[in-house]
């Protein structure tokens, strides 16, 4: 009797596991045993990545590849945005109305700050984050060092002071890059010696 119950239980388990499989085949084909993986649904998430250029080193981008900036007149502890009105038209706050999913950014360093209008703005290491209205395509970095107070954000939240305000489209890879290796590297914050100075 026990053997029959065990066979019935195994058959039920096999049937339920087969029913869990999705209809899409993941890259590399289906898993053995008839199970298939489902792609993660990230539609409810705000995607962030990091990218790398020779002049800037590693910096954070939004899901479209546009760099994120921090403003020297903001406050990190406690987080406070001081870019309102006309400022916020040129420097668009990164609205955090969805959970952030980041590749290469420590999730513990990400948070939000409530703006004067009640919206939630993304922060990295306490610093409110923005995109620049003149950056149109992945690789643009026209806001870098703008007015001496706007700087691209490194993956650890530090400002990147190297480089000049310019369009770096031809010097950036078209896809988000992997983070620096875990061998203790930190984002580059000074330009290489061959980079032009101010």
């Amino acid at each position: 009797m026990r053997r029959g119950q065990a066979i019935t239980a195994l058959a039920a388990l096999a049937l339920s596991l087969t029913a869990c499989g999705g209809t899409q085949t993941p890259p590399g084909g289906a898993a053995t045993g008839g199970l298939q993986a489902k792609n993660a649904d990230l539609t409810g998430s705000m995607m962030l990545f990091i990218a790398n250029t020779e002049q800037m080193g590693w910096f954070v981008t939004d899901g479209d590849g546009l760099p994120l900036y921090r403003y020297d007149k903001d406050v990190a502890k406690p987080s406070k945005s001081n870019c309102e009105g006309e400022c916020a038209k040129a420097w668009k706050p990164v609205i955090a109305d969805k959970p952030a999913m980041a590749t290469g950014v420590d999730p513990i360093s990400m948070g939000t700050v409530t703006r004067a209008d009640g919206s939630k703005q993304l922060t990295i290491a306490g610093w409110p984050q923005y995109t620049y209205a003149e950056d149109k395509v992945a690789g643009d970095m026209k806001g870098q060092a703008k007015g001496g107070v706007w700087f691209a954000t490194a993956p650890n939240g530090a400002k990147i002071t190297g480089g000049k305000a310019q369009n770096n489209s031809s010097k950036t890879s078209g896809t988000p890059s992997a983070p620096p290796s875990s061998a203790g590297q930190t984002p580059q914050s000074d330009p290489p010696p061959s980079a032009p100075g101010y």
Side-chain angles (χ1 to χ4, degrees), residues 53-57 59 67 69 91 132 134-135 139-152 160-169 171-172 188-198:
T53 67
E54 289 180 27
Q55 290 180 319
M56 300 302 299
F59 58 93
Y69 297 94
W91 299 93
Y132 186 46
E134 292 185 26
D135 290 342
D140 282 355
M141 195 170 278
K142 296 176 182 175
Q144 176 60 11
K146 195 81 163 171
V149 293
W150 291 96
F151 297 95
I160 300 174
T161 57
K164 289 186 172 183
Q166 58 193 344
N167 179 341
N168 290 330
S169 296
K171 294 187 169 97
T172 303
Q188 180 180 348
S189 53
D190 294 321
S194 62
Y198 284 90

Side-chain angles (χ1 to χ4, degrees), residues 63-160:
D64 295 323
L66 300 177
L68 300 191
Y69 297 94
R70 48 176 274 186
Y71 183 37
D72 279 353
K73 295 182 180 179
D74 283 348
V75 179
K77 293 180 183 178
S79 299
K80 183 178 185 321
S81 170
N82 288 311
C83 180
E84 301 289 341
E86 291 301 312
C87 175
K89 290 179 183 174
W91 299 93
K92 300 174 183 180
V94 177
I95 300 302
D97 55 357
K98 301 175 183 177
M101 295 289 294
T103 299
V105 180
D106 184 354
I108 294 173
S109 72
M110 294 186 297
T112 60
V113 63
T114 302
R115 297 182 54 77
D117 64 4
S119 63
K120 300 282 186 187
Q121 182 176 359
L122 175 71
T123 62
I124 299 177
W127 291 96
Q129 298 297 300
Y130 306 84
T131 56
Y132 186 46
E134 292 185 26
D135 290 342
K136 303 292 185 190
V137 297
D140 282 355
M141 195 170 278
K142 296 176 182 175
Q144 176 60 11
K146 195 81 163 171
V149 293
W150 291 96
F151 297 95
T153 304
N156 65 359
K159 68 180 178 181
I160 300 174

Side-chain angles (χ1 to χ4, degrees), residues 16-27 29-31 34-42:
S16 66
L17 288 175
T18 303
C20 290
T23 58
Q24 298 179 351
T25 303
L35 297 178
Q36 295 181 341
K38 288 186 178 182
N39 292 333
D41 180 10
L42 300 176

Side-chain angles (χ1 to χ4, degrees), residues 7-19:
I7 291 172
T8 304
L10 286 173
L13 177 62
L15 181 61
S16 66
L17 288 175
T18 303

